[in-house]
Every structure is written in structure tokens, then in C-alpha cells.
Amino acid sequence: MDDSRKTPFDPSIAVSPNNPCPFLRGLVGEGFVDGGTVRLRTLSQTIANASGETGLKKISARIQVRGVALIANGACHILQSIFWGAQLNGLRGGPLDKLGAGSRILGVDGKVDEDEIARLAGFGATYADPDGGTEVGLNASQIRTFMNDNLKRAGNQSRWYYPLLMKFEWPVLLKIMGKGQGDDRYLSVAEVRTLFNERKFPDRITQRMVSQPVTPPSLILRAAGGLVAALLVFGIVALRFPDQFQPMLPGILGDLVAPPLPKLVEPRAAYWLEQNWALEDRHWFHHASQGTATFPVPYSWFMALEQPRLHFFAKPGMLHDSDHLQRFGFIPSPQTINTDEATLRRFGYANVYDKTKPVPARLWDPPVNWGAQAENVGGLPVGFARMTGVPDPATGKVGEDRIGLTCAACHTGQIHYKGIDIRFDGGPAMTDLRKLEVTTGLSIAYTLYVPGRFKRFADRVLGPSAGDADRDALKQKLSAIGTFLKDWETTYDKTIAGKTRYNEKTKRDEQQTDTEEGYGRLDALNRIGNQVFSQDMTLSGLSGFEKNLHAKDAPVSFPPIWTVPWLKYAQYDASIEQPLIRNAGEALGVTALLNLSDSTPKDALFRSSMDIKNLNWIEDLLKGSAPYPKKQLSGLTSPKWPSDIIGDAAWKIDGERVKRGRKLYSEICVECHLGPVNDPVFDAEFPDKSIWSSDRWQTIGGDKFLNEVQKSARGMGTDPAQASVLATRTVQVPGFLKLDPSQKLNAWWNCKLPDVSSTDMPYSLGLMVLVDIVSRKAMDDAKIKPEEQQAWWGKRPNCPNPGPQPPDEPERGPWYRARPLNGVWATAPYLHNGSVPSLYWMLSPAAERPKSFCMGGDRDYDPKQVGFAVSDGESCKTGQSRFSTRASDGTELYGNSNLGHSFEGKGPHKDGVVGRELKEQERYDLIEYLKTL
């Protein structure tokens, strides 16, 4: 080959029809590059040579070409393109093939359509050829018109990224093959026809490439380039596929990538179980607002945010998409129950309502006259609620609607079994709220910093016609929220790094660290304290109270809430007796707006967004009518074992095993858990052990409440972390709040507390009195009449739990309470901290229990072991969270012990042992009976 002249191939080299790019077809046809795999460097240098550019412009051209070639075969082939090159005979169907949205000059069979070339010419004009004469061509403006018409013609086939790719096609062809200068530079239709039909360039283009042969790079440059490319691709792929790569990223890089989520597996069928609630009661509970603003942005902003994931050739999904939120463990919910039967069945509202017709709560005795039906216009999952028309507690100004979580977010459960979802109210959720917090924060950050996202966000919030001033104001507000969230995380990390805690097990002080919550667990008690006594104070303009922060180091499984209204004490540690305080404290913990500022009018102090009416109605809906004298529970009842729904033989109840298990229950379980609340056969066979004849029913205000058995954490041998939170944590508050916990609680409830400081106090007393004050303020603001307020409070006091009461033997605190075991089959994993995966392991010697297992995702329920069948130290699927009793260095993880409540030896003779070792058959007999409760 002569360096200054090249004779064209005649005929030109054949090109695969799977190479639809006319310029690349010319390169192959004239032998400049191979028709198969071509290294990116060779391709980019050859095309840059053809452009005739020099210096920096030529370098820029090479970079642009290399970028397009990198993705030409699709995102899944990027690594292949980097290390081996672009597959020119595999471009069909890739990003460069616009599937009908291009010129359509070249068919899928590789044949040229002359009609389409004539159409191309129809967009052009007649130009003076610099070599003499005139010819038809298209300048830059006409090419843009041509491309836009191609997109318009394609209609729904067009994709958002096509205009971006088109900038590297016809405009580049104009730059390389064009004639003339400036606005008069045009692309000759005749030369385009030759390029398509004969795969040949004009002679001037061929000679540019011949005069600048492509030289191979040095070995060092190739190695360095390969390393840089590998790192770049790894970063891109990690951002694009965070579920697989985020755990592999170090430090700050990992913080920039969305946390991994399990793959969503659509069930082939779903069912809600019968629990005495009509459909309207159930849906209202799922979406009735408590007055919370859990998410840091208004409702409309939340609905406009995109998922913090990068997509090269498609828009990312929305943050609020039900399919996305389900991957955090939430349960899908219809927009309204006033819809067609097929839709209701798709969301699981079948079976129950085919067989039974529960009486709506509005018709109960006494009736629960909750307000208007809570609609779910955004199609959000169970537990998401829209708060509307609530004034800012500090200013009184009604702002935008907010979005928050309600009781149902944490207390609605579901299990999976072979493609069937079984759902029930009041049970423990299998959600990961920490992942949702992080994802929401990253979604805000991506909206601010990823090109194109804020424009789409602003279009959704303000409308596409909004002016620049409104868009700038919106961006400033969103940026302020993002900055606050980032600064708060930094403040939290810095504060916790400087604090210690006393470890009851090691008997020494040690540095505080978070214990991972993961799917199905939350350190609600410490989170409430952090929210109320630190973040709410910061948001109210008070400084210095980050010192009240405490590590989230005592996560617990979400407790079931059926039966709880008729138990004297709630919470695992029996720390709350007053139901309104329990519910209001939970609402404040999931971020009800709260004013604790000294710079606002006095009547605004302690004002909140908490919906006190809804909180009262939720409690009424849960409790129903009094259990005495009927000796039965109403309201929300525990779910029944769903053997009638799942036809699998593994779910059938063995009657003989149940009989043997009932006897074992009477011998082993009644000491702490008392007799079952829903087994008349047990009551008849063991009348002296029946819960309905127990002396533990205590009359308070005319109704009987069950005073549960309490046992010391030490005696039970279970992890003491959660029980120690209220026993050891302290908080400091500003003097102007005048909390005066001893005086107020003694005056209101006759608690008989000794005097404590009004500014430095036990967390337990500070929380009790603050929630009490806020609740009273909420009732007054809602104009609840005094006599109705008294009825809402009832006679159960807001006082600290004195511990086990007669006839229990006194035990040194802290304590855990033992609840009745109705519905226990639906509450795995077990123990308060979710450390035991199934009832089988709960009835085993503690030392034999799995120490490490995975939760979340599509983990199937095991009807034999009743819970989750796990293998110790198993590998987790993508996105699942790992529960482990030990850290990677072998040290015990604070809050994660799975010891205690053990059946071993010949009976309880030491702390942590509650019964003799059970034979294998006895375990399964007792499990079979527990299924029926």
C-alpha cells in the first residue's frame, strides 16, 4: 500500500448486515478495520484521522469516538469492549441501532432502501460543490430537522437517549465528510448514497486515513490504559448495579452507592388472614396518618424523587414505586378498596372475605367511629400515610402535605411459601428501615448532582412550564435538606465515636457502636430518644443537645400487637403501662413534627403534628370490647395457621401431635406464658391453668387487664441490651422546658417518684413526661373536651414499671415480660432481638442454635420448624442482611446474643435455663400445638 495513495477495493469487502452504521461499514469495506472485533484505540484513532482534525480537536474527537464505541454493543459488553474491542458485527440491537427511530436507509438484511435516501435528500437543498458544479446536500440545521423527524416518525419506539446518540452519527458524518465551511458546510447526498451502496468513502477521506497510519501503543501505555479503564468500568458498573457491587466498595465510595436490595419475586398468589377486621378497617389502619413526617421532604417531592441508581439507556425508576419499596420488605397495597374484585384479589383481599364477613369496627360494641377512609392515591405500600393540612408546630403556617410511616409499617407481617404470600396485621414486619433512610438520602443527593435529574424532579414538582426563579428556589430548598441530612450523619458519627456504654455481660465500659438492625429489626427505643432529645431540639433551634445521642445498639424484632391493649404492660421490657403514651411516643419516634423552641410563643411550645384522634382510634381498633365477662378477645385477633389456604401437606395439622403438645405446654410453658387465650380444650383439660381463671387479671378502671409475668434479664439469660436502655440511659434538657418529671408524673398519676433534676434525668422519666405533655397539648389543640380526654387516658398510669409484682418472686432488674403465645407461629424470628430463627431452635439447648443466618428477601417460611430453616454461617443472597452473634474478629456483638430461654439438662438449675432438654419428638409435638394458638 502506498503511503499517499490507496486503490479502493472493487468490489468492496462485504460487511455483516448486523453492522448498521454507514461510516463503520465504509471502514470495513475499504479494509481499514476488520469486520469483527476492533480494538477501541484502533477504531478511535482511525476515525479521528478521517476527521482531518489536528491537536486538541483531534484528541477530543478520539475521546468522543472511544466513548461511543465503548457502549456500542450494550452495557453488558463494556468489559469485553475494553479488553478486546468493539464487535462491529454485533451492533444490531445495541444502543446504536435505534430500532426504527433512525434513518431506515439500511434494512436489517443489509440492503439499502433508495426511497429512504430520496427522503433524506428531501430535507436538503442545492449547494455549490467546491470542486465545481452543484449538488444536493444537508447542512447542520437540515440534519437536525431530519433527525427530529426520524424520532417523530418512530413514535413510541423512540427512547430518551436516542437524541444523545444521534449527535455522534449524522453530525459526525457531516464533520468528517462534509464539504464547504461554516454554515455552508454540507453533507453530499450522492456521497452518502455511495457510502451506503458501495461501502466507499470519497477519495479525500480515504487519503487522510492512509497518510496517518494507526500505530500500536507501547506496552506500558497499554497496561496503564487498561488499568484506568478497568477502574472506570468498575466504578460505573458499581453505580449501575449497586445490589451486587456496593458491599465490595470501600468507605466513602460505598456511601455513594445505594445499599443492595434483594430481588423482588412476585408471588403467584397472596392472602390476608382473617383477624376480625373488615376490609375497610384493615385498609384504614394501613394508611391512616399518625401525624408523622418520617421522610425529610414533602409528599409531592417524595413522589417526584428517582431511585439513586444510574441507568445508561433508560430513566431510573421512581423512589416511591411499589416494586422498589417492596424490596425493603414493605407489603403492596391498593390505592383504594372501592375498586374491582380482580384488583382486590391481586393485593390478597380474597379468601377471608369469601368465607367470612367480619363486622366493620363502626358497628362494634362499643363502635370505633374513626374518621374518613384513608385513601392511598399514590399506590404506596402498607404503612405509608399522607399527612395533609397540618400547621407547622412552631409557626402555625399550613405547609405542604408530608409523608410518614404509621403503625402498620412495622406491625404488619407476611411470610412467603413456594410463591404464596400470607399476610397478617399486628405481626412483625420484615422491613429494613435503615436501608430506606440511606436510599432516600442518596436519592436527594443524586437529584442534586446527577445531570438531568433535577430538571425532571422540578418538572414533576413545579410543572414543565415553571420559571428559572421557581426552579432555583426549589433547588435551594432541596439542597438545604440534603446538607442537613449529611451534616446530621456526620454529627451522629462524631458524637457516638466519643461515647461509652456499660456492657452488662463484660462488666466494663466500652465505646458505643451501632449494631446492624437489618431486615425485621429496629432499635426503636434508642431511635425515639435520639429523635426527641436531640434531632427535634436541633430542628427547634437549640444547640448542644447532640450530646443526648446514643448508638443504635439494642435492635429488637418488631413485637406483635394483637392482645397488647389488654396486657398491663407493653414493650419487651414491660416499660409502658399507659397505652396513649405508648402510641404517642411511637408517633414522635417516627418523626411527628415537634416544637421545643424557646423563641416561639408560649402556647406553641410542645405543639406537634401528632394526630391524637387517629392514635386513639387505632388503639380502639386494636382492643375491641373488654375480654371479661365473655372470656374472649375481640378487636384485632391473632392470625390462625393457614393450612386451609396452603394446600401443601407440610401445613396440615397433626391432631395426635397437638394432643401431646398441649400436655407439654401445660407442663412447660404456663409458668411464664400462662394458659392460651384461645384454646377451650386446654381450659377444659387443665382448668387450674386456664388463663381465664388466673389471678393475674387485674381490675383497672372497671376493666380487667392481664398482668404478665416478668422475669429478670439475668435469670432468663437473654441479651440484656434492650432492657438496659431505660435502666441506664440519661438525657439533658434545657431548663425552660420545665419538664420536672417527678413533680408532674406524681401530680398527674401519683407515681410516688423521688425528686430528680429538671435538666439532667433518666431517659425513661424524660420520655414519659415529655410524651405526656405533648399528648395533653395535642388534645387541647384538637379541642377534645375534658371529660373525653379523661376517657381517652383511662385509669392506667404513666408511671415506671416497679418490676415483678406478687405473686412473682422479686428479681433484680432489668426485666422482660412474657406474653401469651397466641399467634406465636407468625412472629419469627424469636427472642426479643430476633436472634433465633424458628420455634425448633427456641425449644433447643441455646448452645446449639445457629450463630449466623440471613434475613430478608424471598426467604421461604418453614412450616416444620415454624420460622426460617437456616444453616449456621450460610451465604446470604444479594441484599439480605446477616444476623450474627459475633463480629468478624470473633468478639460478641452488643445486643445480639442468642443465648437464654434454653431447654437443656434436667431442668432449670441455672440462669438462662427454663426447662429440661426436650426429645426431638417432644419439640415437634409442642411446635404442632403452638401452630394452633
Side-chain angles (χ1 to χ4, degrees), residues 41 94 244 257 691 927:
R41 183 180 187 278
Q244 290 75 24
V257 178
I691 196 169
I927 286 172

Side-chain angles (χ1 to χ4, degrees), residues 95-293:
L96 299 186
D97 180 12
K98 290 177 287 303
L99 304 175
S103 69
R104 302 186 188 177
I105 292 174
L106 192 74
V108 294
D109 55 359
K111 295 181 179 179
V112 175
D113 188 335
E114 284 291 338
D115 290 339
E116 291 296 336
I117 293 183
R119 175 175 171 270
L120 169 69
F123 285 88
T126 300
Y127 289 87
D129 187 339
D131 297 327
T134 60
E135 63 179 331
V136 177
L138 289 83
N139 65 13
S141 175
Q142 290 161 344
I143 284 176
R144 284 195 296 271
T145 303
F146 169 65
M147 293 190 300
N148 290 336
D149 195 71
N150 291 343
L151 293 173
K152 184 178 179 181
R153 177 174 65 169
N156 292 334
Q157 288 181 289
S158 178
R159 299 291 181 266
W160 69 270
Y161 57 88
Y162 284 0
L164 178 64
L165 291 177
M166 285 178 170
K167 293 179 180 179
F168 298 95
E169 294 179 346
W170 290 99
V172 171
L173 205 59
L174 171 65
K175 191 171 187 178
I176 293 175
M177 291 177 49
K179 298 179 178 180
Q181 301 296 324
D183 294 339
D184 293 328
R185 187 174 180 84
Y186 69 95
L187 183 65
S188 167
V189 173
E191 291 183 347
V192 169
R193 177 179 285 107
T194 301
L195 181 61
F196 269 105
N197 280 302
E198 302 178 32
R199 301 177 295 283
K200 293 179 180 178
F201 297 114
D203 185 62
R204 66 185 182 281
I205 308 302
T206 301
Q207 298 318 310
R208 286 179 192 167
M209 291 185 282
V210 169
S211 64
Q212 303 175 79
V214 176
T215 57
S218 68
L219 183 62
I220 294 176
L221 285 177
R222 288 175 63 185
L227 178 60
V228 171
L231 291 174
L232 176 64
V233 168
F234 182 78
I236 293 173
V237 172
L239 288 168
R240 174 63 184 87
F241 303 103
D243 295 330
Q244 290 75 24
F245 285 89
Q246 193 268 355
M248 302 166 56
L249 297 175
I252 191 170
L253 289 179
D255 294 339
L256 298 176
V257 178
L261 299 174
K263 180 181 178 182
L264 176 64
V265 178
E266 290 287 350
R268 57 185 174 87
Y271 302 94
W272 285 92
L273 297 184
E274 204 287 311
Q275 293 178 262
N276 195 46
W277 274 0
L279 179 54
E280 64 181 71
D281 303 326
R282 177 163 263 156
H283 197 254
W284 180 83
F285 175 75
H286 290 170
H287 299 290
S289 174
Q290 302 178 103
T292 58

Side-chain angles (χ1 to χ4, degrees), residues 437-454:
E437 288 177 345
V438 172
T439 300
T440 303
L442 284 173
S443 181
I444 293 171
Y446 279 40
T447 301
L448 290 168
Y449 300 114
V450 175
R453 292 218 178 180
F454 180 78

Side-chain angles (χ1 to χ4, degrees), residues 588-628:
L588 291 177
V590 289
T591 325
L593 306 177
L594 177 62
N595 178 36
L596 298 176
S597 172
D598 60 346
S599 61
T600 55
K602 287 186 177 180
D603 67 345
L605 188 62
F606 298 115
R607 180 166 287 154
S608 72
S609 64
M610 186 169 61
D611 193 323
I612 198 73
K613 290 183 178 180
N614 276 1
L615 289 177
N616 184 64
W617 286 329
I618 288 170
E619 183 69 13
D620 285 349
L621 192 63
L622 290 170
K623 73 180 183 181
S625 57
Y628 273 91

Side-chain angles (χ1 to χ4, degrees), residues 110 115 121 139 165 232 250 256 291 342 448 533 648 661 669 676 714 750 799 826 879 902 911 918:
D115 290 339
N139 65 13
L165 291 177
L232 176 64
L256 298 176
L448 290 168
F533 290 105
D648 197 307
C669 306
R714 178 177 179 180
N750 193 29
C799 296
S902 181
D911 288 343
L918 300 174

Side-chain angles (χ1 to χ4, degrees), residues 742-760:
S742 301
Q743 294 90 324
K744 285 185 170 63
L745 295 177
N746 287 342
W748 291 334
W749 302 105
N750 193 29
C751 292
K752 298 182 172 61
L753 296 171
D755 286 340
V756 298
S757 168
S758 186
T759 57
D760 193 343

Side-chain angles (χ1 to χ4, degrees), residues 455-782:
K455 180 183 183 305
R456 296 196 296 269
F457 172 77
D459 286 348
R460 296 184 187 111
V461 173
L462 302 173
S465 61
D468 291 342
D470 290 336
R471 290 173 181 269
D472 289 344
L474 178 64
K475 192 166 191 176
Q476 287 180 4
K477 291 177 183 177
L478 187 65
S479 180
I481 292 172
T483 300
F484 176 82
L485 294 176
K486 180 179 178 295
D487 290 348
W488 186 257
E489 285 288 328
T490 302
T491 297
Y492 176 84
D493 291 341
K494 182 178 179 181
T495 303
I496 299 306
K499 301 190 78 169
T500 61
R501 65 191 168 204
Y502 181 73
N503 190 329
E504 182 66 32
K505 298 192 72 174
T506 61
K507 305 298 183 185
R508 64 170 183 261
D509 288 328
E510 57 190 28
Q511 183 179 327
Q512 290 185 17
T513 55
D514 284 353
T515 300
E516 183 183 1
E517 294 163 319
Y519 281 95
R521 301 203 311 167
L522 194 76
D523 186 359
L525 207 49
N526 275 320
R527 278 175 170 266
I528 291 173
N530 291 348
Q531 180 66 45
V532 174
F533 290 105
S534 190
Q535 190 169 92
D536 281 341
M537 290 187 174
T538 299
L539 292 170
S540 294
L542 306 179
S543 60
F545 290 96
E546 63 275 5
K547 60 190 173 187
N548 285 333
L549 288 168
H550 193 287
K552 300 183 286 288
D553 58 9
V556 297
S557 178
F558 298 111
I561 58 175
W562 51 72
T563 314
V564 168
W566 299 106
L567 303 181
K568 185 175 183 183
Y569 293 106
Q571 310 297 349
Y572 287 112
D573 59 358
S575 57
I576 302 179
E577 182 175 358
Q578 223 302 314
L580 191 55
I581 294 296
R582 176 219 313 148
N583 297 341
E586 180 264 336
L588 291 177
V590 289
T591 325
L593 306 177
L594 177 62
N595 178 36
L596 298 176
S597 172
D598 60 346
S599 61
T600 55
K602 287 186 177 180
D603 67 345
L605 188 62
F606 298 115
R607 180 166 287 154
S608 72
S609 64
M610 186 169 61
D611 193 323
I612 198 73
K613 290 183 178 180
N614 276 1
L615 289 177
N616 184 64
W617 286 329
I618 288 170
E619 183 69 13
D620 285 349
L621 192 63
L622 290 170
K623 73 180 183 181
S625 57
Y628 273 91
K630 294 180 180 179
K631 296 185 178 181
Q632 67 179 33
L633 296 168
S634 62
L636 179 67
T637 56
S638 55
K640 298 296 183 184
W641 180 259
S643 55
D644 61 332
I645 295 177
I646 304 177
D648 197 307
W651 288 79
K652 291 185 177 178
I653 299 289
D654 185 327
E656 291 303 313
R657 278 196 179 276
V658 169
K659 290 179 182 178
R660 296 194 296 268
R662 183 180 284 115
K663 188 173 185 302
L664 282 169
Y665 185 97
S666 72
E667 297 169 355
I668 296 173
C669 306
V670 294
E671 178 186 350
C672 296
H673 295 285
L674 308 178
V677 300
N678 54 359
D679 183 10
V681 177
F682 182 96
D683 297 337
E685 290 185 9
F686 310 101
D688 58 322
K689 298 178 180 179
S690 169
I691 196 169
W692 300 109
S693 60
S694 171
D695 59 4
R696 300 196 68 87
W697 288 97
Q698 183 176 341
T699 301
I700 306 174
D703 287 322
K704 289 180 178 289
F705 296 89
L706 185 66
N707 184 12
E708 315 103 284
V709 173
Q710 298 176 52
K711 294 290 185 180
S712 71
R714 178 177 179 180
M716 293 304 294
T718 51
D719 194 290
Q722 198 268 347
S724 299
V725 172
L726 292 180
T728 60
R729 184 175 174 179
T730 59
V731 294
Q732 294 180 6
V733 299
F736 75 84
L737 290 179
K738 299 179 180 178
L739 291 188
D740 301 320
S742 301
Q743 294 90 324
K744 285 185 170 63
L745 295 177
N746 287 342
W748 291 334
W749 302 105
N750 193 29
C751 292
K752 298 182 172 61
L753 296 171
D755 286 340
V756 298
S757 168
S758 186
T759 57
D760 193 343
M761 63 193 68
Y763 167 44
S764 57
L765 294 183
L767 186 62
M768 279 180 164
V769 72
L770 183 72
V771 177
D772 205 320
I773 293 170
V774 172
S775 299
R776 293 173 189 271
K777 178 66 174 172
M779 288 189 200
D780 290 341
D781 287 344

